[in-house]
Short mmCIF file of all heavy atoms in Angstrom, two decimals:
data_model
loop_
_atom_site.label_atom_id
_atom_site.label_comp_id
_atom_site.label_asym_id
_atom_site.label_seq_id
_atom_site.Cartn_x
_atom_site.Cartn_y
_atom_site.Cartn_z
N SER A 69 8.15 15.16 62.34
CA SER A 69 7.97 13.74 62.02
C SER A 69 8.92 12.87 62.84
O SER A 69 8.55 11.77 63.27
CB SER A 69 8.15 13.48 60.52
OG SER A 69 9.48 13.71 60.12
N LYS A 70 10.13 13.35 63.11
CA LYS A 70 11.06 12.60 63.96
C LYS A 70 10.50 12.48 65.38
O LYS A 70 10.59 11.43 66.01
CB LYS A 70 12.43 13.28 63.99
CG LYS A 70 13.20 13.13 62.70
CD LYS A 70 14.51 13.88 62.77
CE LYS A 70 15.24 13.86 61.43
NZ LYS A 70 16.46 14.67 61.47
N LYS A 71 9.93 13.58 65.88
CA LYS A 71 9.36 13.56 67.23
C LYS A 71 8.17 12.61 67.31
O LYS A 71 8.00 11.91 68.29
CB LYS A 71 8.95 14.97 67.65
CG LYS A 71 10.14 15.87 67.92
CD LYS A 71 9.70 17.25 68.32
CE LYS A 71 10.91 18.14 68.56
NZ LYS A 71 10.52 19.51 68.94
N VAL A 72 7.34 12.61 66.29
CA VAL A 72 6.17 11.74 66.28
C VAL A 72 6.61 10.28 66.28
O VAL A 72 6.03 9.45 66.98
CB VAL A 72 5.26 12.05 65.07
CG1 VAL A 72 4.22 10.97 64.86
CG2 VAL A 72 4.59 13.39 65.26
N ARG A 73 7.65 9.96 65.51
CA ARG A 73 8.16 8.59 65.52
C ARG A 73 8.67 8.23 66.92
O ARG A 73 8.51 7.11 67.38
CB ARG A 73 9.27 8.41 64.49
CG ARG A 73 8.71 8.18 63.10
CD ARG A 73 9.81 7.96 62.11
NE ARG A 73 9.94 9.22 61.38
CZ ARG A 73 11.06 9.77 61.00
NH1 ARG A 73 12.20 9.19 61.22
NH2 ARG A 73 11.07 10.90 60.35
N GLY A 74 9.26 9.19 67.61
CA GLY A 74 9.72 8.96 68.98
C GLY A 74 8.57 8.71 69.93
O GLY A 74 8.69 7.92 70.87
N ILE A 75 7.44 9.38 69.70
CA ILE A 75 6.27 9.18 70.55
C ILE A 75 5.74 7.76 70.41
O ILE A 75 5.35 7.14 71.39
CB ILE A 75 5.18 10.22 70.20
CG1 ILE A 75 5.62 11.61 70.67
CG2 ILE A 75 3.84 9.85 70.84
CD1 ILE A 75 4.72 12.73 70.23
N ASP A 76 5.75 7.23 69.20
CA ASP A 76 5.30 5.85 69.00
C ASP A 76 6.14 4.88 69.82
O ASP A 76 5.61 3.97 70.45
CB ASP A 76 5.37 5.46 67.51
CG ASP A 76 4.34 6.19 66.67
OD1 ASP A 76 3.35 6.68 67.25
OD2 ASP A 76 4.53 6.26 65.44
N GLU A 77 7.45 5.07 69.83
CA GLU A 77 8.33 4.21 70.62
C GLU A 77 8.03 4.35 72.11
O GLU A 77 8.01 3.35 72.84
CB GLU A 77 9.78 4.55 70.34
CG GLU A 77 10.24 4.21 68.93
CD GLU A 77 11.64 4.70 68.63
OE1 GLU A 77 12.36 5.11 69.57
OE2 GLU A 77 12.02 4.69 67.45
N LEU A 78 7.80 5.57 72.56
CA LEU A 78 7.49 5.79 73.97
C LEU A 78 6.17 5.12 74.36
O LEU A 78 6.06 4.55 75.45
CB LEU A 78 7.44 7.29 74.28
CG LEU A 78 8.77 8.01 74.30
CD1 LEU A 78 8.56 9.50 74.48
CD2 LEU A 78 9.68 7.47 75.39
N GLU A 79 5.18 5.20 73.47
CA GLU A 79 3.89 4.56 73.76
C GLU A 79 4.06 3.05 73.91
O GLU A 79 3.44 2.44 74.77
CB GLU A 79 2.89 4.87 72.66
CG GLU A 79 2.36 6.28 72.71
CD GLU A 79 1.39 6.60 71.58
OE1 GLU A 79 1.35 5.84 70.58
OE2 GLU A 79 0.69 7.60 71.70
N GLN A 80 4.91 2.46 73.09
CA GLN A 80 5.16 1.02 73.19
C GLN A 80 5.83 0.69 74.52
O GLN A 80 5.48 -0.30 75.17
CB GLN A 80 6.02 0.55 72.02
CG GLN A 80 5.32 0.58 70.69
CD GLN A 80 6.24 0.26 69.53
OE1 GLN A 80 7.44 0.15 69.70
NE2 GLN A 80 5.68 0.14 68.33
N ARG A 81 6.79 1.52 74.92
CA ARG A 81 7.48 1.28 76.19
C ARG A 81 6.52 1.41 77.37
O ARG A 81 6.56 0.62 78.32
CB ARG A 81 8.65 2.25 76.35
CG ARG A 81 9.80 1.92 75.41
CD ARG A 81 10.90 2.95 75.44
NE ARG A 81 11.44 3.13 76.78
CZ ARG A 81 12.25 4.13 77.12
NH1 ARG A 81 12.61 5.03 76.23
NH2 ARG A 81 12.71 4.22 78.35
N VAL A 82 5.63 2.42 77.32
CA VAL A 82 4.67 2.62 78.40
C VAL A 82 3.71 1.44 78.48
O VAL A 82 3.40 0.95 79.57
CB VAL A 82 3.91 3.96 78.20
CG1 VAL A 82 2.70 4.03 79.12
CG2 VAL A 82 4.83 5.14 78.44
N ALA A 83 3.25 0.95 77.33
CA ALA A 83 2.35 -0.20 77.32
C ALA A 83 3.03 -1.41 77.95
O ALA A 83 2.40 -2.15 78.73
CB ALA A 83 1.91 -0.51 75.89
N LYS A 84 4.28 -1.62 77.63
CA LYS A 84 5.03 -2.75 78.19
C LYS A 84 5.15 -2.60 79.71
O LYS A 84 4.94 -3.56 80.46
CB LYS A 84 6.41 -2.83 77.56
CG LYS A 84 7.25 -3.97 78.07
CD LYS A 84 8.64 -3.95 77.42
CE LYS A 84 9.53 -5.00 78.05
NZ LYS A 84 10.91 -4.92 77.57
N LEU A 85 5.48 -1.40 80.16
CA LEU A 85 5.61 -1.16 81.60
C LEU A 85 4.26 -1.34 82.32
O LEU A 85 4.22 -1.85 83.44
CB LEU A 85 6.17 0.24 81.86
CG LEU A 85 7.63 0.44 81.50
CD1 LEU A 85 8.01 1.92 81.62
CD2 LEU A 85 8.53 -0.40 82.39
N GLU A 86 3.18 -0.92 81.68
CA GLU A 86 1.86 -1.10 82.29
C GLU A 86 1.52 -2.58 82.46
O GLU A 86 0.96 -2.98 83.47
CB GLU A 86 0.79 -0.41 81.45
CG GLU A 86 0.83 1.11 81.56
CD GLU A 86 -0.14 1.80 80.61
OE1 GLU A 86 -0.58 1.18 79.61
OE2 GLU A 86 -0.46 2.97 80.87
N LYS A 87 1.87 -3.38 81.47
CA LYS A 87 1.63 -4.82 81.57
C LYS A 87 2.46 -5.42 82.70
O LYS A 87 1.97 -6.25 83.47
CB LYS A 87 1.97 -5.51 80.25
CG LYS A 87 0.98 -5.26 79.16
CD LYS A 87 1.38 -5.95 77.87
CE LYS A 87 0.43 -5.63 76.74
NZ LYS A 87 0.85 -6.25 75.47
N GLU A 88 3.72 -5.01 82.80
CA GLU A 88 4.58 -5.53 83.87
C GLU A 88 4.05 -5.13 85.23
O GLU A 88 4.04 -5.93 86.17
CB GLU A 88 6.01 -5.01 83.69
CG GLU A 88 6.74 -5.61 82.50
CD GLU A 88 8.12 -5.00 82.28
OE1 GLU A 88 8.56 -4.17 83.11
OE2 GLU A 88 8.75 -5.35 81.27
N LEU A 89 3.57 -3.89 85.35
CA LEU A 89 3.02 -3.42 86.63
C LEU A 89 1.77 -4.20 86.99
O LEU A 89 1.59 -4.59 88.15
CB LEU A 89 2.71 -1.92 86.54
CG LEU A 89 2.12 -1.29 87.78
CD1 LEU A 89 3.11 -1.39 88.95
CD2 LEU A 89 1.77 0.16 87.51
N ALA A 90 0.91 -4.45 86.02
CA ALA A 90 -0.30 -5.22 86.28
C ALA A 90 0.05 -6.63 86.74
O ALA A 90 -0.57 -7.17 87.67
CB ALA A 90 -1.17 -5.27 85.04
N ALA A 91 1.07 -7.23 86.13
CA ALA A 91 1.50 -8.58 86.52
C ALA A 91 2.05 -8.57 87.95
O ALA A 91 1.78 -9.49 88.73
CB ALA A 91 2.54 -9.10 85.55
N LEU A 92 2.79 -7.54 88.31
CA LEU A 92 3.33 -7.43 89.67
C LEU A 92 2.21 -7.27 90.69
O LEU A 92 2.26 -7.84 91.78
CB LEU A 92 4.31 -6.26 89.77
CG LEU A 92 5.67 -6.47 89.09
CD1 LEU A 92 6.47 -5.18 89.12
CD2 LEU A 92 6.44 -7.59 89.78
N LYS A 93 1.19 -6.49 90.35
CA LYS A 93 0.07 -6.29 91.27
C LYS A 93 -0.70 -7.59 91.48
O LYS A 93 -1.15 -7.87 92.58
CB LYS A 93 -0.87 -5.21 90.74
CG LYS A 93 -0.35 -3.82 90.93
CD LYS A 93 -1.37 -2.79 90.47
CE LYS A 93 -0.90 -1.39 90.74
NZ LYS A 93 -1.88 -0.37 90.30
N ARG A 94 -0.86 -8.38 90.42
CA ARG A 94 -1.56 -9.66 90.55
C ARG A 94 -0.75 -10.64 91.39
O ARG A 94 -1.30 -11.41 92.16
CB ARG A 94 -1.82 -10.27 89.17
CG ARG A 94 -2.99 -9.65 88.44
CD ARG A 94 -3.35 -10.48 87.22
NE ARG A 94 -2.24 -10.57 86.28
CZ ARG A 94 -2.07 -9.81 85.21
NH1 ARG A 94 -2.96 -8.88 84.94
NH2 ARG A 94 -1.05 -9.98 84.41
N ALA A 95 0.56 -10.59 91.24
CA ALA A 95 1.44 -11.52 91.97
C ALA A 95 1.52 -11.17 93.45
O ALA A 95 1.75 -12.05 94.28
CB ALA A 95 2.82 -11.53 91.35
N GLN A 96 1.33 -9.92 93.76
CA GLN A 96 1.43 -9.47 95.16
C GLN A 96 0.18 -9.90 95.91
O GLN A 96 -0.94 -9.70 95.46
CB GLN A 96 1.57 -7.94 95.18
CG GLN A 96 1.89 -7.38 96.53
CD GLN A 96 2.04 -5.86 96.45
OE1 GLN A 96 1.40 -5.23 95.62
NE2 GLN A 96 2.86 -5.31 97.30
N LYS A 97 0.38 -10.52 97.06
CA LYS A 97 -0.76 -10.97 97.87
C LYS A 97 -1.36 -9.76 98.59
O LYS A 97 -0.64 -8.92 99.12
CB LYS A 97 -0.31 -12.00 98.89
CG LYS A 97 0.13 -13.29 98.26
CD LYS A 97 0.51 -14.29 99.32
CE LYS A 97 0.99 -15.58 98.68
NZ LYS A 97 1.42 -16.55 99.68
N PRO A 98 -2.67 -9.71 98.63
CA PRO A 98 -3.29 -8.59 99.35
C PRO A 98 -3.03 -8.74 100.85
O PRO A 98 -3.16 -9.83 101.41
CB PRO A 98 -4.78 -8.70 99.03
CG PRO A 98 -4.97 -10.08 98.49
CD PRO A 98 -3.64 -10.56 98.00
N VAL A 99 -2.66 -7.68 101.48
CA VAL A 99 -2.38 -7.68 102.91
C VAL A 99 -3.67 -7.29 103.63
O VAL A 99 -4.29 -6.29 103.31
CB VAL A 99 -1.26 -6.66 103.25
CG1 VAL A 99 -1.00 -6.62 104.75
CG2 VAL A 99 0.00 -7.00 102.48
N ALA A 100 -4.06 -8.14 104.60
CA ALA A 100 -5.28 -7.86 105.36
C ALA A 100 -5.02 -6.67 106.27
O ALA A 100 -4.04 -6.62 107.00
CB ALA A 100 -5.66 -9.09 106.18
N GLN A 101 -5.91 -5.72 106.20
CA GLN A 101 -5.76 -4.54 107.04
C GLN A 101 -6.48 -4.78 108.36
O GLN A 101 -7.58 -5.31 108.38
CB GLN A 101 -6.34 -3.31 106.34
CG GLN A 101 -5.57 -2.93 105.10
CD GLN A 101 -6.16 -1.68 104.45
OE1 GLN A 101 -7.20 -1.17 104.88
NE2 GLN A 101 -5.49 -1.19 103.44
#
Side-chain angles (χ1 to χ4, degrees):
S69 67
K70 288 177 186 176
K71 289 179 181 179
V72 167
R73 279 182 257 141
I75 289 173
D76 290 340
E77 292 173 13
L78 288 175
E79 285 178 344
Q80 290 173 353
R81 289 174 58 192
V82 167
K84 180 182 174 186
L85 289 172
E86 287 174 340
K87 287 179 183 177
E88 290 175 5
L89 179 62
L92 287 173
K93 283 184 176 180
R94 281 191 300 263
Q96 189 179 30
K97 292 182 182 178
V99 178
Q101 294 182 354

